[in-house]
Amino acid sequence: MANPAQVTGAPEPVRAAPGAVLTPLFTDRRIAAVLGLGFAQGIPFLLVYATQSAWLVQAKVPLATIGLMSELTIAYKLKFLWAPFLDRHDAPLIGRWLGRRRGWIVATQILVALALAGVAFGDPAHWLAWTVAFSLALGVAGATQDVVIDGWRITAAPPEQQALMSSWSEIGYRVGNLAAGAGALYLSDAYGWRAAYLCMAALMAPGTVAALLAPEPPAPETPASGGFVETVWAPIRDLLARLGPLAVPVLALVAGFRMPGYVSNAMAIPLFKTLGYSNTDIATVTKLFGFWIALGGTFLASAIIPRIGMMASLLIGTVTASASHLALAYLAWHGGHGGAAFWTFALTVGIDGFAYAFASIVLITYMSRLSATAHAASQYALLTSLCALPGSLLAGFSGFVIEWTGFAWFFVGTSLIGVPVALLCLLVARRHGPMEVPSEAPGQAT
């Protein structure tokens, strides 16, 4: 089997001595940088729509309009269209000073902060168009920030360190998400929405500091652009060529891996509300308790991947994440009011959240290893869009399914979606070995 560096374009891996996995936490500035950059990634998405919807309700915006505004997150699904240009060109003005990767990171963070300030000075009750325009700009800036930070993370570290980098990025992301969710809501109650959004804009500063302190990876050598179509198609062609005959099963594996989670998550909170749990109960269990549970899943994934291999970790991730939905089915059958029922609720959310976090880190690491250095931002953006789109589309029909089956059988069904994904894992592992990412060059025997 070829060395992963030959296929992904990553630097030649530096083999760490056994037990040295924790050393980078204290000696490698990339770890501190990826933690701060992950925090910055976690801020914009909720503020485009989810957190902002509370403001819109207070402003008495019609619910139908609020629902339509969920489409303002469309940039996160289409970011692969402009990602190739970020791989090929430096950021204006600051690109020559900071380098291609860091230059784009700082530029997008400035745009995110400006868009947040723009939303802050809006008034959706009397001028909704202003809020829509700046929210759309926030979505584009936030999605682009994701592209360039993911591109930096993939090119800044060798393949065997991607699990560690992904884990610390995910930790930072979850903290940023907590700030943009619960933090912004608390601030809005205490000081108003304008102050809340301005505070979120100020919270982009740690990410900018992290970008300035981060090492700049060598600029990828990319061929001259042949126009828009060629620029977008080049990274796709490169990925398909490297995957060879396994392109279809590998891409199907990426597309299906989180599909059960996307469908299940769409109906989790409606289940909790149907069972009579209060907003305080839900916030306490899913946000505060769930935050620490998710960190546990994140750390476990980063420890297991180097020890048992990528494909074995993928198989465990998809099986456990899908099976965890059976806990939600159990809650649907046996949940309700009372002290014992509350602890059943907490345990259910803990099982689902732990498995989801574990599977997320495994998938992030896998997609990172599939991405070549020269097209890191482009290919990772493509893979994340592929990962999100099928599950998001299916989630739209989840309410109709529950009307027919009920909550319990719905979650049993989402659990069974993971069966063909597990079979795909076995197929890919059998063709390329149980421990590694498919990595031979086209035409090269395994």
Side-chain angles (χ1 to χ4, degrees):
M1 184 177 289
N3 189 308
Q6 295 174 324
V7 181
T8 63
E12 184 68 17
V14 179
R15 299 297 173 188
V21 69
L22 293 179
T23 302
L25 302 183
F26 306 101
T27 63
D28 193 338
R29 61 183 172 133
R30 292 174 300 182
I31 302 301
V34 81
L35 182 65
L37 294 174
F39 175 80
Q41 281 184 286
I43 291 178
F45 184 78
L46 290 182
L47 297 169
V48 175
Y49 171 69
T51 300
Q52 187 187 73
S53 63
W55 187 2
L56 299 176
V57 171
Q58 289 181 9
K60 301 188 184 308
V61 175
L63 290 178
T65 302
I66 295 175
L68 289 173
M69 288 180 68
S70 66
E71 297 303 324
L72 294 173
T73 62
I74 189 66
Y76 285 87
K77 298 178 180 67
L78 299 179
K79 58 187 178 182
F80 69 92
L81 292 176
W82 59 89
F85 297 91
L86 307 176
D87 274 330
R88 290 174 179 265
H89 304 289
D90 293 341
L93 302 178
I94 59 176
R96 290 188 177 183
W97 172 44
L98 294 175
R100 180 167 302 174
R101 302 291 185 194
R102 294 192 307 156
W104 278 117
I105 291 172
V106 172
T108 56
Q109 288 173 342
I110 291 172
L111 292 176
V112 168
L114 291 175
L116 286 168
V119 175
F121 285 99
D123 181 4
H126 300 96
W127 194 6
L128 186 60
W130 174 285
T131 299
V132 169
F134 277 97
S135 296
L136 181 61
L138 177 58
V140 173
T144 307
Q145 179 191 225
D146 278 3
V147 169
V148 294
I149 289 178
D150 289 331
W152 175 86
R153 174 178 53 78
I154 293 167
T155 55
E160 86 280 358
Q161 290 186 0
Q162 285 301 320
L164 184 67
M165 294 284 282
S166 298
S167 297
W168 285 99
S169 175
E170 182 73 4
I171 291 168
Y173 181 88
R174 289 185 178 279
V175 175
N177 226 234
L178 193 63
L185 290 172
Y186 286 134
L187 286 169
S188 67
D189 280 346
Y191 305 104
W193 283 105
R194 177 169 297 179
Y197 267 77
L198 290 176
C199 285
M200 295 301 107
L203 283 180
M204 293 301 297
T208 303
V209 172
L212 295 175
L213 295 178
E216 172 68 16
E221 295 182 4
T222 53
S225 174
F228 177 82
V229 174
E230 173 60 23
T231 300
V232 174
W233 174 244
I236 300 175
R237 181 175 58 231
D238 172 80
L239 179 63
L240 295 176
R242 286 187 294 108
L243 292 176
L246 275 188
V248 172
V250 167
L251 295 179
L253 173 60
V254 171
F257 193 85
R258 293 307 302 140
M259 186 183 297
Y262 274 106
V263 179
S264 172
N265 286 348
M267 288 292 114
I269 289 182
L271 167 65
F272 305 154
K273 295 297 293 181
T274 300
L275 293 175
Y277 294 105
S278 68
N279 290 335
T280 300
D281 290 338
I282 295 172
T284 299
V285 171
T286 62
K287 300 299 183 184
L288 299 181
F289 173 71
F291 174 80
W292 299 104
I293 291 292
L295 287 189
T298 297
F299 280 121
L300 181 63
S302 66
I304 282 182
I305 293 171
R307 288 167 173 79
I308 68 173
M310 191 70 258
M311 298 311 301
S313 300
L314 277 169
L315 182 59
I316 293 173
T318 190
V319 170
T320 56
S322 299
S324 71
H325 301 168
L326 296 177
L328 293 169
Y330 179 86
L331 180 67
W333 270 313
H334 300 283
H337 294 287
F342 178 82
W343 288 111
T344 300
F345 171 44
L347 181 61
T348 297
V349 171
I351 291 172
D352 188 57
F354 186 91
Y356 185 94
F358 180 93
S360 294
I361 291 299
V362 172
L363 181 61
I364 289 170
T365 304
Y366 184 60
M367 294 189 298
S368 299
R369 292 189 183 184
L370 289 175
S371 303
T373 299
H375 305 286
S378 311
Q379 292 178 353
Y380 191 84
L382 174 67
L383 291 169
T384 54
S385 296
L386 179 64
C387 169
L389 189 58
S392 298
L393 293 175
L394 277 181
F397 298 97
S398 56
F400 298 102
V401 175
I402 285 177
E403 289 181 353
W404 180 50
T405 65
F407 278 106
W409 286 110
F410 169 79
F411 289 112
V412 171
T414 62
S415 181
L416 294 176
I417 295 175
V419 173
V421 182
L423 295 177
L424 279 172
C425 283
L426 292 173
L427 171 65
V428 175
R430 183 178 180 182
R431 291 288 301 274
H432 288 280
M435 298 299 179
E436 300 298 336
V437 175
S439 57
E440 75 268 13
Q444 182 178 341
T446 302

